[in-house]
Amino acid sequence: MQKIFSTDGLIYGGMERLYQVLLLNVIFIISCLPLFTIGAAISAAYGTAYKLTEHKEGVLYKTYWHQFKQNFPPATKMWLLIIAIVGGMLFALPYFRYLIVGNKVAYYMVMVGLTFIILLSLYLFPLIARFENTLAATVTNAMILSLKHLPISIILFFVTVGGLFLLPVYLPKLLFAWLFIGFGSVFFINAKLLLKVFSQYENMKEGS
């Protein structure tokens, strides 16, 4: 019984992890406030979540700040590129809506394309947080990984959409808890899944 409540016990470890997820959640929200820093904040959150998963986090806020500064240039460029693409799509939507409405083939093609884009986007900032690469190479790798590891991509999708959007809408009683650990929990869970994918290629690189 004493071992359960000791610093090496399950209860203490669980409470410590919960505190770390909560702290990650708060720091992430604060660093998103200028809006244009959202890309860097997402990358920093994933970089910190990787460290948490690997038990290499050190002082969490220092780890986060280091990741934020390190990933700021590529992540911000990627974020601004995403904003430009989304803005262009929204601007063009009224002109192409008549081609989609009532046309099942066009509708399903658009849905497939959007699904692919969403799955691809789930890998962009995690890749920036894990590997040094050009933006073009990051996008290419995200496309390949999202399709090659489709089962994990689907799980990432449901964890992200469920944790960030559906949970607070359909379970409003948990809204208070979600505000404190929602983002942090999604980053932590996704980091565990993504490391299973990335570790395969890191091991190949080390073995070559």
Side-chain angles (χ1 to χ4, degrees):
M1 183 64 70
Q2 290 181 345
K3 290 183 179 180
I4 296 178
F5 293 97
S6 68
T7 55
D8 296 325
L10 293 175
I11 293 179
Y12 181 87
M15 293 300 293
E16 182 182 25
R17 184 63 76 206
L18 180 62
Y19 167 74
Q20 290 171 327
V21 169
L22 187 152
L23 183 59
L24 176 60
N25 189 85
V26 173
I27 297 173
F28 169 74
I29 292 174
I30 293 173
S31 60
C32 284
L33 292 180
L35 297 183
F36 74 91
T37 61
I38 288 177
I42 296 173
S43 294
Y46 271 114
T48 306
Y50 295 149
K51 298 291 185 182
L52 287 173
T53 300
E54 297 170 325
H55 301 283
K56 299 177 181 178
E57 67 274 12
V59 180
L60 191 139
Y61 72 87
K62 291 184 178 180
T63 300
Y64 185 94
W65 179 238
H66 173 75
Q67 293 288 327
F68 187 90
K69 292 190 294 182
Q70 178 177 290
N71 297 318
F72 186 85
T76 302
K77 291 177 183 177
M78 184 67 74
W79 175 246
L80 294 177
L81 177 62
I82 290 172
I83 293 297
I85 292 173
V86 172
M89 291 174 64
L90 292 175
F91 177 80
L93 183 60
Y95 301 97
F96 291 96
R97 183 183 299 174
Y98 73 95
L99 295 175
I100 301 173
V101 177
N103 188 328
K104 290 186 177 181
V105 175
Y107 174 80
Y108 287 120
M109 288 179 63
V110 170
M111 289 299 103
V112 171
L114 285 176
T115 301
F116 174 69
I117 291 172
I118 291 171
L119 292 180
L120 179 154
S121 65
L122 294 173
Y123 285 84
L124 291 175
F125 295 107
L127 280 169
I128 291 174
R130 193 70 178 180
F131 304 100
E132 290 186 14
N133 228 323
T134 63
L135 293 184
T138 298
V139 173
T140 302
N141 290 336
M143 293 172 60
I144 295 171
L145 292 176
S146 63
L147 295 177
K148 187 175 182 179
H149 301 275
L150 190 58
I152 289 183
S153 299
I154 294 172
I155 297 173
L156 287 170
F157 172 79
F158 282 110
V159 170
T160 304
V161 173
L164 298 184
F165 303 104
L166 298 183
L167 184 64
V169 172
Y170 290 99
L171 293 174
K173 292 182 179 179
L174 297 178
L175 180 60
F176 184 76
W178 175 83
L179 290 173
F180 282 92
I181 63 173
F183 290 101
S185 298
V186 169
F187 287 127
F188 183 70
I189 295 171
N190 283 355
K192 282 182 171 290
L193 294 169
L194 288 161
L195 284 179
K196 291 182 180 180
V197 174
F198 296 160
S199 62
Q200 300 177 33
Y201 302 96
E202 291 171 336
N203 293 336
M204 289 172 56
K205 186 176 180 180
E206 291 174 1
S208 61

